[in-house]
Amino acid sequence: MSEGATKKEEKPRKFQAIRGTRDLLPPETALWNRVEQTAHQVFATFGFGEIRLPAVETLGLFARSLGAETDIVGKEMFLLAEREPSVVVHPGRFGPPPQSEQDRRDEVPPVFSEPSMRESVERQIAESVLVLRPEATASVCRAYIEHNMQQMPQPVKLYYMGPMFRRERPQKGRYRQFYQIGAEVLGGSDAPAIDAEVIEMVMTFFDRLELQGIQLDINSIGDRNCRPKYVELLRAELLKVKDKLGADSQRRIETNPLRVLDSKLESEQPVIAKLPRIADHLCEDCKTHYAEVKRQLDLRGVKYHENWRLVRGLDYYMRTTFEITAQGLGSQNAVCGGGRYDGLVELLGGPPTKGIGFAIGEDRLILSLQESGKAPAQQGRDVYIAWMGERAQATGIRAAKDLRKAGFSVELPSVEQKFGKALGQADKLGAKYALILGDNEVSEGLWTLKTLADGSQAKCTEPDLLEYLRKQRALSP
Ligand code: ATP
Ligand code: MG
């Protein structure tokens, strides 16, 4: 058949994970599980409950919460067109089709930079276009409103973990699908003790994981009262030195002057050092709040660095902001960012609500743990059951069931193998013991247990075996 013939000539297509995404494989996933288990445990001790959120939301949610001028909304979002929208939508951008491959990948022009276009685009597509979530705080707030959580005892303390999606340039510690573990405290008061306890919780979590070389930076970026005045002052000062700034910072003078403080560009550093500092422009309430946050951190024995240049990239943050860096990550060394966002729930259509939270970059956290040798080695099996003969297989199946019930990891080969081959296999899998079951063993009811590390062998009865392995497990570190 001619059709079959052409098919044979075609090269089989090779599928690969798309740019910026990756497969996480064992044994590394054991470390991911340990990190997540530790988060569940530690956060529960602070009275937080887990919230599981959809990975897909409307574009409107993020356009509203993050701010249209942010990089995330302007160019980093993955869009899914559900219904036929009235504007052309390409993944990650609006407007005309991309000019080149590189353009398509990286340089996505900010769609919301034109105010007139912004309004119409926002209106038209906010509800009809779906996006892969770039972060989860907005979703938590949406859920808080949607489920009337303001009627529950306040504050509501929630945590989440899961994948986030941003169309960024992939590099070490930066992916297009990455994972965050985050927590939010919503409702009740904005007592500085809440800020301090949230920070204490992250630090406790990192401590439990023995994350190395961590530094906590804190700052206050003011509130509705004092921040706008400071931002205007900053803008005015930045305009005076505009020609000494790079293109990104020049653009940000208009869009988001605070972000200029974030710049890592070497040539801008001397200019930035002379800019007015927000600490000198906080209103009395913000000043008092910040001072009390620091006192509350001291009470908890949490060490911090004050960093006047620490701002969050997102519009909704106010007052307390913090960031935690860890070692072994190069320039992508921030493992956690967080802060207070008292206006966010209201901005999303809910009642006035206080809020504070953080998001940990789990990928970077894992990288740092691996770099400092805190990752577990390959996890081998406890027992490899080498069996020969029908009756031995039946006994092996029963033994495997009992051992697994007692929590041991057991490999039971699916087909009969010569003992020599089976022992070689046990070695390769890193098994601690081989349980040897042949006709003799089964009929005598005396099994042979071989310790693979030293090759020693012992005969034991079935109950002895479990007892022995339990004791060994208790002794091992
Ligand atoms: P960065 O300045 O590194 O881009 P960010 O300010 O965009 O960070 P947040 O939105 O505050 O980050 O997210 C909190 C944490 O999530 C970051 O501190 C980082 O650890 C992690 N994170 C953010 N973007 C990525 C990404 N693309 N890949 C991996 N981790 C990320
Ligand atoms: Mg970023």
Side-chain angles (χ1 to χ4, degrees), residues 1-299:
M1 242 168 74
S2 65
E3 202 183 305
T6 28
K7 263 196 187 143
K8 254 184 204 154
E9 281 159 28
E10 268 174 35
K11 260 198 189 159
R13 184 156 162 217
K14 221 165 107 193
F15 292 101
Q16 285 184 322
I18 62 168
R19 190 168 139 84
T21 72
R22 62 214 172 110
D23 302 306
L24 302 170
L25 308 171
E28 192 184 306
T29 40
L31 178 57
W32 284 75
N33 283 326
R34 180 161 71 88
V35 163
E36 288 163 17
Q37 271 316 311
T38 307
H40 288 301
Q41 284 163 8
V42 171
F43 296 175
T45 64
F46 281 79
F48 282 68
E50 186 184 7
I51 180 168
R52 298 200 181 196
L53 300 155
V56 178
E57 299 270 6
T58 60
L59 173 62
L61 178 67
F62 300 106
R64 173 55 71 91
S65 63
L66 300 178
E69 303 297 348
T70 53
D71 286 352
I72 295 183
V73 173
K75 56 181 187 182
E76 292 176 4
M77 217 130 58
F78 284 96
L79 311 182
L80 311 163
E82 190 196 26
R83 277 168 263 142
E84 193 77 346
S86 47
V87 288
V88 188
V89 178
H90 307 280
R93 59 180 281 153
F94 311 101
Q99 301 302 308
S100 66
E101 179 66 7
Q102 194 56 32
D103 181 22
R104 194 181 65 73
R105 283 210 200 126
D106 301 325
E107 281 311 313
V108 185
V111 55
F112 289 122
S113 49
E114 284 283 325
S116 60
M117 183 178 176
R118 179 167 85 220
E119 266 170 43
S120 78
V121 167
E122 251 189 57
R123 248 199 329 273
Q124 288 179 55
I125 63 180
E127 293 314 312
S128 68
V129 174
L130 305 182
V131 299
L132 295 179
R133 61 176 180 189
E135 59 107 47
T137 300
S139 303
V140 175
C141 292
R142 177 199 45 71
Y144 179 87
I145 300 165
E146 190 169 333
H147 303 288
N148 283 317
M149 289 191 219
Q150 68 273 12
Q151 277 155 28
M152 294 163 55
Q154 306 291 302
V156 174
K157 303 196 276 187
L158 298 168
Y159 74 94
Y160 61 84
M161 47 183 81
M164 308 296 157
F165 306 86
R166 295 182 196 175
R167 181 177 284 267
E168 301 192 78
R169 194 168 66 75
Q171 55 196 289
K172 183 185 174 189
R174 195 178 289 288
Y175 312 97
R176 291 182 168 186
Q177 173 171 342
F178 61 101
Y179 296 80
Q180 284 186 338
I181 300 176
E184 319 287 351
V185 178
L186 288 163
S189 84
D190 60 357
I194 296 179
D195 307 41
E197 196 180 67
V198 163
I199 294 173
E200 181 190 5
M201 182 168 88
V202 196
M203 297 303 269
T204 305
F205 171 54
F206 286 166
D207 240 36
R208 196 70 55 85
L209 292 171
E210 297 180 70
L211 186 64
Q212 301 296 300
I214 51 181
Q215 177 176 315
L216 163 68
D217 281 23
I218 61 167
N219 192 19
S220 173
I221 54 170
D223 65 3
R224 258 175 277 205
N225 226 330
C226 52
R227 184 157 50 146
K229 280 181 230 155
Y230 169 71
V231 170
E232 276 325 302
L233 176 70
L234 189 62
R235 181 174 280 139
E237 290 302 313
L238 284 168
L239 280 172
K240 289 184 201 163
V241 293
K242 187 170 177 181
D243 51 333
K244 295 194 184 116
L245 298 172
D248 276 349
S249 292
Q250 289 197 358
R251 183 166 47 79
R252 287 184 175 135
I253 296 178
E254 289 314 317
T255 59
N256 196 347
L258 280 178
R259 281 298 303 277
V260 176
L261 302 180
D262 217 12
S263 159
K264 310 268 185 308
L265 208 67
E266 206 50 54
S267 61
E268 294 179 346
Q269 301 310 309
V271 183
I272 293 172
K274 291 196 207 95
L275 292 170
R277 306 184 170 204
I278 186 139
D280 303 326
H281 300 272
L282 293 176
C283 59
E284 278 314 308
D285 285 353
C286 285
K287 238 184 243 172
T288 314
H289 192 272
Y290 187 36
E292 183 60 13
V293 169
K294 288 184 276 185
R295 198 182 73 88
Q296 288 287 335
L297 286 171
D298 292 337
L299 284 175

Side-chain angles (χ1 to χ4, degrees), residues 436 440-441 444-450 457-461 464-465:
I436 299 168
N440 287 347
E441 278 84 359
E444 283 170 20
L446 267 184
W447 300 354
T448 304
L449 187 72
K450 183 172 172 128
Q457 270 182 212
K459 291 260 175 198
C460 57
T461 63
D464 283 351
L465 173 78

